[in-house]
Amino acid sequence: KKKGVNILRGKEIYHERCAACHGLDGAPVLPDAPSFAKGERMEKTDKELLQTIRHGKNLMPAWKEILTEKEIKIVLYYARVVAGDKVFEEKCLRCHSGTFPKLRTDIPDAKTLMNFEGPLDICRSCEIEREMSKEELIDVIRYLRTLGK
């Protein structure tokens, strides 16, 4: 429950403070900003990314005087799943407004997911998944796992 609340607060902070450069959906507005929608910089550790948020980097301002440490952590938490949130809103929300599907236990873990060759049926009753790319399905799985933690 706590993480779900944090992800929503992280989204609010992201939209208020980060979206002007990084885009509402993680696709950057500013030319040199990393694309979170494409996973750019997301391979970095939390420690590295938290330092960047706190102290700034290149054109990015430092946020340590504006956001609390807790807010910095939850905005990073959201930035890591912003792409999945976008796909969920676009493709899943029409059936799942207010409810999130519970992920099946046979969906592979994060490390195996990218190389997994089998079907990634998140919601077996849903036709829209056939129209989604593997990357979109993986982004939604990551997003739902984040909400479930």
Side-chain angles (χ1 to χ4, degrees), residues 38-107:
K38 292 182 180 174
E40 291 174 6
R41 297 206 25 93
M42 292 298 117
E43 79 285 354
K44 303 285 185 193
T45 65
D46 283 357
K47 184 178 179 181
E48 290 172 289
L49 293 176
L50 289 169
Q51 282 298 99
T52 299
I53 296 168
R54 285 183 198 111
H55 302 289
K57 184 175 185 170
N58 302 327
L59 293 175
M60 182 174 157
W63 291 99
K64 67 179 181 191
E65 302 298 323
I66 297 160
L67 298 173
T68 67
E69 188 61 22
K70 182 178 179 182
E71 289 172 327
I72 289 170
K73 287 177 180 174
I74 61 177
V75 79
L76 171 59
Y77 196 69
Y78 179 74
R80 288 198 177 278
V81 296
V82 66
D85 183 21
K86 176 184 186 266
V87 175
F88 188 87
E89 282 186 7
E90 286 177 355
K91 304 201 175 185
C92 306
L93 209 54
R94 65 185 82 152
C95 294
H96 294 286
S97 59
T99 62
F100 296 101
K102 188 169 175 78
L103 286 177
R104 295 188 344 266
T105 55
D106 60 337
I107 292 177

Side-chain angles (χ1 to χ4, degrees), residues 75-145:
V75 79
L76 171 59
Y77 196 69
Y78 179 74
R80 288 198 177 278
V81 296
V82 66
D85 183 21
K86 176 184 186 266
V87 175
F88 188 87
E89 282 186 7
E90 286 177 355
K91 304 201 175 185
C92 306
L93 209 54
R94 65 185 82 152
C95 294
H96 294 286
S97 59
T99 62
F100 296 101
K102 188 169 175 78
L103 286 177
R104 295 188 344 266
T105 55
D106 60 337
I107 292 177
D109 63 19
K111 290 180 181 155
T112 315
L113 210 45
M114 286 305 289
N115 300 318
F116 184 68
E117 295 298 324
L120 290 173
D121 290 334
I122 301 169
C123 185
R124 289 196 173 140
S125 63
C126 192
E127 295 290 318
I128 192 102
E129 286 187 32
R130 290 182 184 79
E131 301 169 22
M132 294 167 68
S133 70
K134 182 177 181 179
E135 290 75 22
E136 288 175 322
L137 287 166
I138 290 170
D139 287 341
V140 168
I141 290 167
R142 286 184 178 141
Y143 173 66
L144 291 173
R145 282 192 174 140

Side-chain angles (χ1 to χ4, degrees), residues 5-17:
V5 171
N6 283 350
I7 199 80
L8 296 176
R9 180 66 184 127
K11 183 177 184 173
E12 285 175 12
I13 296 165
Y14 181 91
H15 284 198
E16 290 168 11
R17 306 288 184 171

